[in-house]
Amino acid sequence: MNLPVGNTEVAAEIIQQLTGAAMFKIDTIKQYPADYGETTEISKKELRQNTRPDLSAHLEDISEYGIIYLGYPNWWGTMPMALFTFLEEYDFSGKTIIPFCTHEGSGMGRSEKDIRKLCPAATVLRGLSIVGGSVRTAEEPIRKWLRLP
C-alpha cells in the first residue's frame, strides 16, 4: 500500500486544477517511514501523546488567502498531528476553511470538529471524504462538492 503519490495529494491536485487555487504542502521535518503500517503506528503514538510535529515549510503570509482547502488523510479518526501544528501556527480569523480528507472507511471522523476547535474565528464548511482507493476517479464527486458545472 505504499504509493508514489499520496491519495490526499492526488485529490489536492484535482481541486487545484478545478479551482486554480495555490497549493502548499504541509509536511514535517522528520519524515514518516515509506511503510504504511509503520507510519500508522507512529501517527497513533503522536495522537495519543498530542504531539505537534515541526513543519518543514511555512507560509510567509496567510492574509492573502480567504478560502483554504485543507486536505489530509484521516489518521485514527482525525487529521494528522502536523495539521494541528499548521492550524495553531496561523490566525484563521475571518477565513473560510473547506476540509477534505482521504480515508479507507472512516470518512471525516472528528476532523471537522477538531478544525473548528483550533480555528474558532474561521468558518469551517462541510468537508468531503474520499475513499483513498477511488481518489484517481474522484473528479466528478469533487466537482459536485465544489458546486462547479
Side-chain angles (χ1 to χ4, degrees):
M1 190 145 135
N2 300 328
L3 305 170
V5 176
N7 292 326
T8 304
E9 190 171 344
V10 171
E13 289 171 354
I14 293 169
I15 291 168
Q16 181 187 39
Q17 289 168 3
L18 293 172
T19 65
M23 269 185 49
F24 175 78
K25 186 173 184 177
I26 300 167
D27 211 350
T28 56
I29 290 174
K30 184 177 179 186
Q31 294 298 302
Y32 291 94
D35 181 78
Y36 178 79
E38 288 177 45
T39 295
T40 62
E41 287 307 309
I42 290 170
S43 68
K44 185 192 307 185
K45 182 179 177 184
E46 288 178 346
L47 179 63
R48 201 172 37 246
Q49 296 177 349
N50 202 27
T51 303
R52 296 298 188 271
D54 292 326
L55 303 180
S56 61
H58 306 273
L59 288 170
E60 282 189 36
D61 184 9
I62 199 164
S63 68
E64 65 184 271
Y65 304 104
I67 297 174
I68 292 119
Y69 296 98
L70 186 68
Y72 47 89
N74 181 329
W75 286 357
W76 303 106
T78 191
M79 58 198 162
M81 298 310 291
L83 274 282
F84 285 74
T85 303
F86 177 79
L87 292 173
E88 290 172 347
E89 189 169 303
Y90 301 99
D91 180 5
F92 288 89
S93 298
K95 307 224 178 276
T96 299
I97 300 173
I98 307 172
F100 64 96
C101 78
T102 56
H103 65 94
E104 293 303 328
S106 45
M108 296 298 291
R110 68 177 183 278
S111 63
E112 291 166 304
K113 180 181 175 184
D114 288 340
I115 294 166
R116 285 184 182 96
K117 185 176 179 181
L118 292 165
C119 305
T123 300
V124 180
L125 299 184
R126 186 166 176 248
L128 175 68
S129 64
I130 306 163
V131 175
S134 69
V135 73
R136 295 190 187 286
T137 59
E139 182 175 334
E140 197 52 43
I142 290 172
R143 183 181 293 278
K144 185 176 179 181
W145 170 70
L146 293 170
R147 296 185 176 133
L148 297 173

